[in-house]
Coordinates of all heavy atoms in Angstrom, one line a residue:
M1 N 93.6 91.9 84.8 CA 94.7 92.6 85.4 C 94.5 94.1 85.4 O 93.7 94.5 84.6 CB 96.0 92.3 84.6 CG 96.4 90.8 84.6 SD 97.9 90.5 83.7 CE 99.1 91.2 84.8
I2 N 95.2 94.9 86.2 CA 95.2 96.3 86.2 C 96.6 96.8 86.0 O 97.6 96.2 86.3 CB 94.5 96.9 87.4 CG1 95.3 96.5 88.6 CG2 93.1 96.5 87.5 CD1 94.8 97.3 89.9
G3 N 96.7 98.0 85.5 CA 97.9 98.7 85.3 C 97.7 100.1 84.9 O 96.7 100.6 84.8
Q4 N 98.8 100.8 84.6 CA 98.8 102.2 84.2 C 99.5 102.4 82.8 O 100.6 101.8 82.6 CB 99.5 103.0 85.3 CG 99.5 104.5 85.0 CD 100.2 105.3 86.1 OE1 101.0 104.7 86.8 NE2 99.9 106.6 86.3
V5 N 98.9 103.2 82.1 CA 99.6 103.5 80.8 C 100.7 104.4 81.1 O 100.6 105.5 81.5 CB 98.6 104.3 79.7 CG1 99.3 104.6 78.6 CG2 97.4 103.4 79.5
T6 N 101.9 103.9 80.8 CA 103.2 104.6 81.1 C 103.8 105.2 79.9 O 104.7 106.1 80.0 CB 104.1 103.8 81.9 OG1 104.4 102.6 81.3 CG2 103.6 103.5 83.3
T7 N 103.5 104.6 78.7 CA 104.1 105.1 77.4 C 103.1 104.9 76.4 O 102.3 104.0 76.3 CB 105.4 104.2 77.0 OG1 106.3 104.2 78.1 CG2 106.0 104.8 75.8
F8 N 102.9 106.0 75.5 CA 102.1 105.8 74.4 C 102.6 106.7 73.2 O 102.8 107.9 73.4 CB 100.6 106.3 74.6 CG 99.8 106.2 73.4 CD1 99.6 105.0 72.8 CD2 99.1 107.3 72.9 CE1 98.9 104.9 71.6 CE2 98.3 107.2 71.7 CZ 98.1 105.9 71.1
I9 N 103.0 106.1 72.2 CA 103.5 106.8 71.0 C 102.4 106.9 69.9 O 102.1 106.0 69.2 CB 104.8 106.1 70.4 CG1 105.8 106.0 71.5 CG2 105.3 106.8 69.2 CD1 107.0 105.1 71.2
D10 N 101.7 108.0 69.9 CA 100.5 108.2 69.1 C 100.7 108.0 67.6 O 99.9 107.2 66.9 CB 99.9 109.6 69.3 CG 98.5 109.7 68.8 OD1 97.8 108.7 68.6 OD2 98.2 110.9 68.5
V11 N 101.8 108.4 67.1 CA 102.0 108.3 65.7 C 102.3 106.9 65.2 O 102.1 106.5 64.1 CB 103.2 109.2 65.1 CG1 102.8 110.7 65.3 CG2 104.5 108.9 65.9
R12 N 102.7 106.0 66.1 CA 103.0 104.7 65.9 C 101.8 103.7 66.4 O 101.8 102.6 65.9 CB 104.3 104.2 66.6 CG 105.6 104.9 66.2 CD 106.1 104.7 64.8 NE 106.4 103.4 64.5 CZ 107.5 102.7 64.5 NH1 108.6 103.4 64.7 NH2 107.6 101.5 64.2
G13 N 101.1 104.3 67.3 CA 99.9 103.6 67.7 C 100.1 102.5 68.7 O 99.3 101.6 68.9
F14 N 101.2 102.6 69.4 CA 101.5 101.6 70.5 C 102.1 102.2 71.7 O 102.5 103.3 71.7 CB 102.4 100.4 70.0 CG 103.9 100.9 69.7 CD1 104.8 100.9 70.7 CD2 104.3 101.3 68.4 CE1 106.1 101.2 70.4 CE2 105.6 101.6 68.2 CZ 106.5 101.6 69.2
G15 N 102.3 101.4 72.8 CA 102.9 101.9 74.0 C 103.0 100.7 75.0 O 103.0 99.6 74.6
F16 N 103.1 101.1 76.3 CA 103.3 100.1 77.3 C 102.4 100.4 78.5 O 102.2 101.6 78.9 CB 104.7 100.0 77.8 CG 105.6 99.5 76.8 CD1 106.3 100.3 75.8 CD2 105.9 98.1 76.6 CE1 107.1 99.8 74.8 CE2 106.7 97.6 75.6 CZ 107.3 98.5 74.7
I17 N 101.9 99.3 79.2 CA 101.2 99.5 80.5 C 102.1 98.8 81.5 O 102.7 97.7 81.2 CB 99.9 98.6 80.3 CG1 98.9 99.3 79.2 CG2 99.2 98.5 81.6 CD1 97.7 98.5 79.0
T18 N 102.2 99.4 82.7 CA 102.9 98.9 83.7 C 102.0 98.5 84.8 O 101.2 99.3 85.3 CB 104.0 100.0 84.2 OG1 104.7 100.4 83.1 CG2 104.9 99.4 85.3
D19 N 102.2 97.2 85.3 CA 101.3 96.8 86.4 C 102.0 97.2 87.8 O 103.1 97.7 87.8 CB 101.1 95.3 86.3 CG 102.3 94.4 86.6 OD1 103.3 94.9 87.2 OD2 102.2 93.2 86.5
P20 N 101.3 97.0 88.9 CA 101.8 97.4 90.2 C 103.2 96.8 90.6 O 103.9 97.4 91.4 CB 100.7 96.9 91.2 CG 99.5 96.9 90.4 CD 99.9 96.5 89.0
S21 N 103.5 95.7 90.1 CA 104.8 95.0 90.4 C 105.9 95.6 89.5 O 107.1 95.3 89.7 CB 104.7 93.5 90.2 OG 104.7 93.2 88.8
G22 N 105.6 96.4 88.5 CA 106.6 97.0 87.6 C 106.8 96.3 86.3 O 107.6 96.7 85.5
E23 N 106.1 95.2 86.1 CA 106.1 94.5 84.9 C 105.4 95.3 83.7 O 104.4 96.0 84.0 CB 105.4 93.2 85.0 CG 105.4 92.3 83.8 CD 106.8 91.6 83.6 OE1 107.4 91.3 84.7 OE2 107.1 91.3 82.5
Q24 N 106.1 95.4 82.6 CA 105.6 96.1 81.5 C 105.0 95.2 80.3 O 105.5 94.2 80.2 CB 106.6 97.1 80.8 CG 107.0 98.2 81.7 CD 107.8 99.2 81.0 OE1 108.6 98.8 80.1 NE2 107.6 100.5 81.3
Y25 N 103.8 95.6 79.8 CA 103.1 94.9 78.8 C 103.0 95.9 77.5 O 102.5 96.9 77.6 CB 101.8 94.5 79.3 CG 101.9 93.6 80.5 CD1 101.8 94.3 81.8 CD2 102.1 92.3 80.4 CE1 101.9 93.5 82.9 CE2 102.2 91.5 81.6 CZ 102.1 92.2 82.9 OH 102.2 91.4 84.0
F26 N 103.3 95.3 76.4 CA 103.1 96.0 75.2 C 101.7 96.1 74.8 O 100.9 95.2 75.1 CB 103.9 95.3 74.0 CG 103.6 95.8 72.7 CD1 104.4 96.9 72.1 CD2 102.6 95.2 71.8 CE1 104.1 97.4 70.8 CE2 102.4 95.7 70.6 CZ 103.1 96.8 70.1
F27 N 101.2 97.2 74.1 CA 99.8 97.2 73.7 C 99.8 98.0 72.3 O 100.7 98.9 72.0 CB 98.9 97.9 74.6 CG 99.0 99.4 74.8 CD1 98.3 100.2 74.0 CD2 99.8 99.9 75.8 CE1 98.4 101.6 74.1 CE2 99.9 101.3 76.0 CZ 99.2 102.1 75.1
H28 N 98.8 97.7 71.6 CA 98.5 98.4 70.3 C 97.2 99.1 70.5 O 96.3 98.6 71.1 CB 98.5 97.5 69.1 CG 98.4 98.3 67.9 ND1 97.3 98.7 67.2 CD2 99.5 98.9 67.1 CE1 97.6 99.4 66.2 NE2 98.9 99.6 66.0
V29 N 97.0 100.3 70.0 CA 95.9 101.2 70.2 C 94.6 100.4 69.8 O 93.5 100.6 70.3 CB 96.0 102.5 69.5 CG1 95.9 102.4 68.0 CG2 94.9 103.5 70.0
T30 N 94.7 99.5 68.9 CA 93.5 98.7 68.4 C 92.9 97.8 69.5 O 91.8 97.3 69.3 CB 93.8 98.0 67.1 OG1 94.9 97.1 67.4 CG2 94.1 98.9 66.0
H31 N 93.6 97.7 70.5 CA 93.2 96.8 71.6 C 92.4 97.5 72.7 O 91.9 97.0 73.7 CB 94.3 96.0 72.2 CG 94.8 94.8 71.3 ND1 94.1 93.7 71.0 CD2 95.9 94.8 70.5 CE1 94.7 93.1 70.1 NE2 95.8 93.6 69.8
F32 N 92.3 98.8 72.5 CA 91.4 99.6 73.4 C 90.0 99.5 72.9 O 89.7 99.4 71.8 CB 91.8 101.1 73.5 CG 92.9 101.4 74.4 CD1 94.2 101.0 74.2 CD2 92.7 102.0 75.7 CE1 95.2 101.3 75.1 CE2 93.7 102.3 76.6 CZ 94.9 101.8 76.3
L33 N 89.1 99.5 73.9 CA 87.6 99.5 73.5 C 87.3 100.5 72.5 O 87.7 101.7 72.7 CB 86.7 99.5 74.8 CG 86.7 98.3 75.7 CD1 85.7 98.5 76.8 CD2 86.3 97.1 75.0
R34 N 86.5 100.2 71.7 CA 85.9 101.2 70.6 C 84.8 101.9 71.2 O 83.9 101.3 71.9 CB 85.6 100.5 69.4 CG 86.8 99.9 68.7 CD 86.5 99.4 67.4 NE 87.6 98.7 66.8 CZ 88.6 99.2 66.1 NH1 88.5 100.5 65.8 NH2 89.5 98.5 65.6
E35 N 84.7 103.2 71.0 CA 83.6 104.1 71.5 C 82.8 104.7 70.4 O 83.3 104.9 69.3 CB 84.1 105.2 72.3 CG 84.8 104.8 73.6 CD 85.2 106.0 74.4 OE1 85.3 107.1 73.9 OE2 85.5 105.8 75.6
G36 N 81.5 104.9 70.6 CA 80.7 105.6 69.6 C 80.2 104.8 68.4 O 80.8 103.8 68.2
A37 N 79.3 105.4 67.8 CA 78.7 104.6 66.5 C 79.7 104.6 65.4 O 79.6 103.8 64.6 CB 77.4 105.4 66.1
E38 N 80.7 105.6 65.4 CA 81.6 105.6 64.3 C 82.7 104.5 64.4 O 83.3 104.2 63.4 CB 82.4 107.0 64.3 CG 81.5 108.2 64.3 CD 81.1 108.7 65.7 OE1 81.8 108.5 66.6 OE2 79.9 109.1 65.8
G39 N 82.7 103.9 65.6 CA 83.7 102.8 65.7 C 85.1 103.3 65.8 O 86.1 102.6 65.5
K40 N 85.3 104.6 66.1 CA 86.7 105.1 66.3 C 87.4 104.5 67.5 O 86.8 104.1 68.4 CB 86.6 106.7 66.6 CG 86.1 107.4 65.4 CD 86.2 108.9 65.6 CE 85.7 109.6 64.4 NZ 85.7 111.0 64.6
E41 N 88.7 104.3 67.3 CA 89.5 103.7 68.4 C 89.5 104.7 69.5 O 89.6 105.9 69.4 CB 90.9 103.5 67.9 CG 90.9 102.4 66.8 CD 92.3 102.4 66.1 OE1 93.2 103.2 66.4 OE2 92.4 101.6 65.3
R42 N 89.5 104.1 70.7 CA 89.7 104.9 71.9 C 91.2 105.0 72.2 O 91.9 104.1 72.3 CB 89.0 104.3 73.1 CG 89.1 105.1 74.4 CD 88.7 104.2 75.5 NE 88.9 104.8 76.8 CZ 90.0 105.3 77.3 NH1 91.1 105.3 76.7 NH2 90.1 105.9 78.5
K43 N 91.8 106.3 72.3 CA 93.2 106.4 72.5 C 93.5 106.5 74.0 O 92.7 107.1 74.8 CB 93.7 107.6 71.8 CG 93.6 107.5 70.3 CD 94.3 108.7 69.6 CE 94.3 108.4 68.1 NZ 94.9 109.5 67.4
P44 N 94.5 105.9 74.4 CA 94.9 105.9 75.8 C 95.4 107.3 76.2 O 95.9 108.0 75.4 CB 96.0 104.8 75.9 CG 96.5 104.8 74.5 CD 95.5 105.1 73.7
K45 N 95.4 107.5 77.5 CA 96.0 108.7 78.1 C 97.2 108.3 79.0 O 96.9 107.4 79.8 CB 94.9 109.6 78.9 CG 93.8 110.0 78.0 CD 92.7 110.7 78.8 CE 91.6 111.1 77.9 NZ 90.3 110.7 78.5
L46 N 98.3 109.0 79.1 CA 99.3 108.7 79.9 C 98.9 108.8 81.4 O 98.1 109.8 81.7 CB 100.6 109.7 79.7 CG 101.3 109.4 78.4 CD1 102.5 110.5 78.3 CD2 101.9 108.0 78.4
G47 N 99.2 107.9 82.2 CA 98.8 107.9 83.5 C 97.4 107.2 83.8 O 97.1 107.1 85.0
E48 N 96.7 106.9 82.8 CA 95.4 106.3 82.9 C 95.5 104.9 83.5 O 96.3 104.1 83.1 CB 94.7 106.3 81.6 CG 93.3 105.7 81.6 CD 92.6 105.7 80.2 OE1 93.3 106.0 79.2 OE2 91.5 105.6 80.2
V49 N 94.7 104.6 84.5 CA 94.6 103.3 85.1 C 93.6 102.5 84.2 O 92.5 102.9 84.0 CB 94.2 103.3 86.5 CG1 94.1 101.9 87.1 CG2 95.2 104.2 87.4
V50 N 94.0 101.3 83.8 CA 93.3 100.5 82.9 C 93.1 99.0 83.4 O 94.1 98.6 84.1 CB 93.7 100.5 81.4 CG1 93.7 101.9 80.8 CG2 95.2 100.0 81.4
S51 N 92.2 98.3 83.0 CA 92.2 96.9 83.2 C 92.4 96.2 81.8 O 92.1 96.7 80.8 CB 90.8 96.4 83.8 OG 89.8 96.7 82.9
F52 N 93.0 95.1 81.8 CA 93.3 94.4 80.5 C 93.6 92.9 80.7 O 93.6 92.4 81.9 CB 94.7 95.0 79.9 CG 95.8 94.8 80.8 CD1 96.8 93.8 80.6 CD2 96.1 95.7 81.8 CE1 97.9 93.7 81.4 CE2 97.2 95.6 82.6 CZ 98.2 94.6 82.4
E53 N 93.6 92.2 79.6 CA 93.9 90.8 79.6 C 95.2 90.6 78.8 O 95.6 91.6 78.2 CB 92.7 90.0 79.0 CG 91.4 90.1 79.7 CD 90.3 89.3 79.0 OE1 90.6 88.5 78.2 OE2 89.2 89.7 79.3
L54 N 95.7 89.5 78.9 CA 97.0 89.1 78.2 C 96.7 88.2 76.9 O 95.9 87.3 77.0 CB 98.0 88.4 79.1 CG 98.6 89.2 80.3 CD1 99.5 88.4 81.1 CD2 99.2 90.6 79.8
A55 N 97.4 88.5 75.9 CA 97.3 87.8 74.7 C 98.0 86.5 74.9 O 98.9 86.4 75.8 CB 97.9 88.5 73.5
D56 N 97.7 85.4 74.2 CA 98.4 84.1 74.3 C 99.9 84.3 74.0 O 100.2 84.5 72.8 CB 97.7 83.1 73.4 CG 98.2 81.7 73.5 OD1 99.2 81.5 74.3 OD2 97.8 80.9 72.8
P57 N 100.8 84.1 74.9 CA 102.2 84.3 74.7 C 102.8 83.2 73.7 O 103.7 83.5 72.9 CB 102.9 84.1 76.0 CG 101.9 83.5 76.8 CD 100.6 83.8 76.3
V58 N 102.1 82.0 73.6 CA 102.6 81.0 72.7 C 102.3 81.5 71.2 O 103.1 81.3 70.4 CB 101.9 79.7 73.1 CG1 102.2 78.6 72.0 CG2 102.3 79.2 74.4
R59 N 101.2 82.0 71.1 CA 100.7 82.5 69.7 C 101.6 83.6 69.3 O 102.0 83.8 68.2 CB 99.3 82.9 69.7 CG 98.7 83.2 68.4 CD 97.3 83.5 68.4 NE 96.9 84.5 69.5 CZ 96.8 85.7 69.2 NH1 97.1 86.3 68.1 NH2 96.4 86.6 70.2
L60 N 101.9 84.5 70.2 CA 102.8 85.7 69.8 C 104.2 85.4 69.7 O 104.9 86.0 68.8 CB 102.5 86.8 70.9 CG 101.2 87.5 70.9 CD1 101.0 88.4 72.1 CD2 100.9 88.2 69.6
G61 N 104.7 84.6 70.6 CA 106.2 84.2 70.6 C 107.0 85.3 70.9 O 108.2 85.4 70.4
R62 N 106.6 86.3 71.7 CA 107.5 87.4 72.0 C 107.0 88.0 73.4 O 106.3 87.3 74.1 CB 107.5 88.5 71.0 CG 106.1 89.0 70.6 CD 106.1 89.9 69.4 NE 104.7 89.9 68.9 CZ 104.3 90.8 68.0 NH1 105.1 91.6 67.5 NH2 103.1 90.8 67.7
N63 N 107.3 89.3 73.7 CA 106.8 89.9 74.9 C 105.4 89.8 75.1 O 104.6 89.7 74.2 CB 107.4 91.4 75.0 CG 108.8 91.5 75.0 OD1 109.5 90.5 75.3 ND2 109.3 92.7 74.7
L64 N 105.0 89.8 76.4 CA 103.6 89.7 76.7 C 102.8 91.0 76.2 O 103.4 92.1 76.3 CB 103.4 89.7 78.2 CG 103.9 88.3 78.8 CD1 103.6 88.4 80.3 CD2 103.1 87.1 78.2
Q65 N 101.6 90.8 75.6 CA 100.9 91.9 75.0 C 99.6 92.0 75.7 O 98.8 91.0 75.9 CB 100.7 91.6 73.6 CG 99.9 92.7 72.8 CD 99.8 92.5 71.3 OE1 100.3 91.5 70.8 NE2 99.1 93.4 70.7
A66 N 99.2 93.3 76.1 CA 97.9 93.6 76.6 C 96.9 93.7 75.6 O 97.1 94.3 74.6 CB 98.0 94.9 77.5
I67 N 95.7 93.1 75.8 CA 94.6 93.1 75.0 C 93.3 93.4 75.8 O 93.3 93.4 77.0 CB 94.4 91.8 74.1 CG1 94.2 90.6 75.0 CG2 95.6 91.6 73.2 CD1 93.8 89.4 74.3
K68 N 92.2 93.7 75.1 CA 90.9 94.0 75.7 C 91.0 95.0 76.8 O 90.7 94.8 78.0 CB 90.3 92.7 76.2 CG 90.0 91.6 75.1 CD 89.3 90.5 75.7 CE 89.1 89.5 74.6 NZ 88.4 88.2 75.2
I69 N 91.7 96.1 76.5 CA 92.0 97.2 77.4 C 90.8 98.2 77.5 O 90.2 98.6 76.5 CB 93.3 97.9 76.9 CG1 94.4 97.0 76.6 CG2 93.7 99.0 77.9 CD1 95.5 97.6 75.8
R70 N 90.5 98.5 78.8 CA 89.5 99.4 79.1 C 89.7 100.2 80.3 O 90.5 99.8 81.2 CB 88.1 98.7 79.2 CG 88.1 97.6 80.2 CD 86.9 96.7 79.9 NE 87.1 95.3 80.4 CZ 87.9 94.4 80.0 NH1 88.8 94.6 79.1 NH2 87.9 93.1 80.5
P71 N 89.1 101.5 80.4 CA 89.3 102.2 81.7 C 89.0 101.4 82.8 O 88.0 100.7 82.8 CB 88.4 103.4 81.4 CG 88.2 103.5 80.0 CD 88.3 102.1 79.5
S72 N 89.7 101.6 83.9 CA 89.4 100.7 85.0 C 88.5 101.4 86.1 O 89.0 101.8 87.2 CB 90.7 100.2 85.7 OG 90.5 99.3 86.6
D73 N 87.3 101.5 85.8 CA 86.3 102.0 86.8 C 86.3 101.2 88.0 O 86.1 101.7 89.2 CB 84.9 102.1 86.2 CG 84.8 103.1 85.0 OD1 85.6 104.1 85.0 OD2 84.0 102.8 84.2
L74 N 86.5 99.9 87.9 CA 86.5 99.0 89.0 C 87.6 99.3 90.0 O 87.4 99.3 91.2 CB 86.7 97.5 88.4 CG 86.7 96.4 89.5 CD1 85.3 96.4 90.2 CD2 87.0 95.1 88.9
C75 N 88.7 99.7 89.5 CA 89.9 100.1 90.3 C 89.4 101.3 91.2 O 89.7 101.4 92.4 CB 91.1 100.5 89.6 SG 91.8 99.1 88.7
V76 N 88.9 102.3 90.7 CA 88.4 103.5 91.4 C 87.4 103.1 92.4 O 87.4 103.6 93.6 CB 87.9 104.6 90.4 CG1 87.3 105.7 91.2 CG2 89.0 105.0 89.4
Q77 N 86.4 102.3 92.0 CA 85.4 101.9 93.0 C 86.0 101.1 94.1 O 85.5 101.2 95.2 CB 84.3 101.1 92.3 CG 83.5 101.8 91.3 CD 82.6 101.0 90.5 OE1 82.5 99.7 90.6 NE2 81.9 101.5 89.6
A78 N 87.0 100.3 93.9 CA 87.6 99.4 94.9 C 88.6 100.2 95.7 O 89.3 99.7 96.6 CB 88.2 98.2 94.3
G79 N 88.8 101.5 95.4 CA 89.8 102.2 96.2 C 91.2 102.0 95.8 O 92.2 102.2 96.5
I80 N 91.4 101.5 94.5 CA 92.8 101.3 94.1 C 93.3 102.4 93.2 O 94.3 102.3 92.5 CB 92.8 99.9 93.2 CG1 92.2 98.8 94.1 CG2 94.2 99.5 92.8 CD1 92.1 97.5 93.3
G81 N 92.6 103.6 93.2 CA 93.0 104.7 92.6 C 94.4 105.2 92.9 O 95.1 105.8 92.2
A82 N 94.9 104.8 94.1 CA 96.2 105.1 94.5 C 97.3 104.4 93.7 O 98.5 104.8 93.7 CB 96.4 104.7 96.0
L83 N 96.9 103.4 92.9 CA 97.8 102.6 92.0 C 98.5 103.7 91.1 O 99.7 103.6 90.9 CB 97.0 101.6 91.2 CG 97.8 101.0 90.0 CD1 98.9 100.1 90.6 CD2 96.9 100.2 89.1
A84 N 97.7 104.6 90.5 CA 98.3 105.6 89.7 C 99.5 106.4 90.3 O 100.5 106.6 89.7 CB 97.3 106.5 89.1
V85 N 99.2 106.8 91.6 CA 100.2 107.6 92.3 C 101.4 106.7 92.6 O 102.5 107.1 92.3 CB 99.6 108.1 93.6 CG1 100.6 108.7 94.5 CG2 98.4 109.0 93.3
G86 N 101.2 105.5 92.9 CA 102.3 104.6 93.2 C 103.2 104.3 92.0 O 104.4 104.4 92.1
L87 N 102.5 104.1 90.9 CA 103.3 103.8 89.7 C 104.0 105.0 89.2 O 105.1 105.0 88.7 CB 102.4 103.2 88.6 CG 101.9 101.8 88.8 CD1 100.9 101.5 87.8 CD2 103.1 100.9 88.7
K88 N 103.3 106.2 89.2 CA 103.9 107.4 88.7 C 105.2 107.7 89.5 O 106.2 108.1 88.9 CB 103.0 108.5 88.8 CG 103.5 109.8 88.0 CD 102.2 110.7 87.7 CE 102.7 111.7 86.8 NZ 102.1 111.8 85.6
G89 N 105.2 107.5 90.8 CA 106.4 107.8 91.6 C 107.5 106.9 91.3 O 108.7 107.2 91.5
G90 N 107.2 105.7 90.7 CA 108.3 104.7 90.5 C 108.8 104.7 89.0 O 109.6 103.8 88.7
E91 N 108.4 105.7 88.2 CA 108.9 105.7 86.9 C 110.4 106.0 86.8 O 111.0 106.7 87.6 CB 108.2 106.8 86.1 CG 106.8 106.4 85.8 CD 106.1 107.5 85.0 OE1 106.6 108.6 84.9 OE2 105.0 107.2 84.4

């Protein structure tokens, strides 16, 4: 799936990703890909277009959660970069 980071509360380490249909998905910073040899968490940027998967809702028993989140280079290559503009205007 693809979406845009629309909320991120750095001190709490969580936020929300919104997909093109307007559906929001909770995420925790630990689900972003780790970068570098230090294994530091990659922090999201507001407005960043990302690709992600969904956690098993049965296991979570609550709102859908985004996991395995990474920058969406595929979106840019496919010309879906306009997604960020469309979502930003719909906030």
Side-chain angles (χ1 to χ4, degrees):
M1 298 183 72
I2 60 169
Q4 181 180 23
V5 177
T6 52
T7 306
F8 178 60
I9 303 168
D10 192 21
V11 296
R12 303 288 305 257
F14 70 86
F16 292 90
I17 296 172
T18 304
D19 72 10
S21 71
E23 185 75 31
Q24 289 193 323
Y25 304 93
F26 171 85
F27 73 86
H28 191 268
V29 71
T30 57
H31 289 288
F32 274 75
L33 288 182
R34 298 185 184 269
E35 292 183 345
E38 305 87 33
K40 291 185 179 176
E41 294 167 356
R42 181 195 178 299
K43 293 189 179 180
K45 297 176 184 132
L46 286 180
E48 180 177 15
V49 177
V50 295
S51 62
F52 61 97
E53 295 179 20
L54 295 179
D56 182 0
V58 174
R59 184 175 53 89
L60 292 173
R62 54 186 164 171
N63 293 345
L64 294 177
Q65 182 175 358
I67 59 172
K68 298 182 182 178
I69 306 164
R70 55 200 155 291
S72 188
D73 295 332
L74 183 61
C75 292
V76 174
Q77 291 172 1
I80 307 175
L83 170 70
V85 175
L87 286 174
K88 190 161 187 116
E91 290 182 344

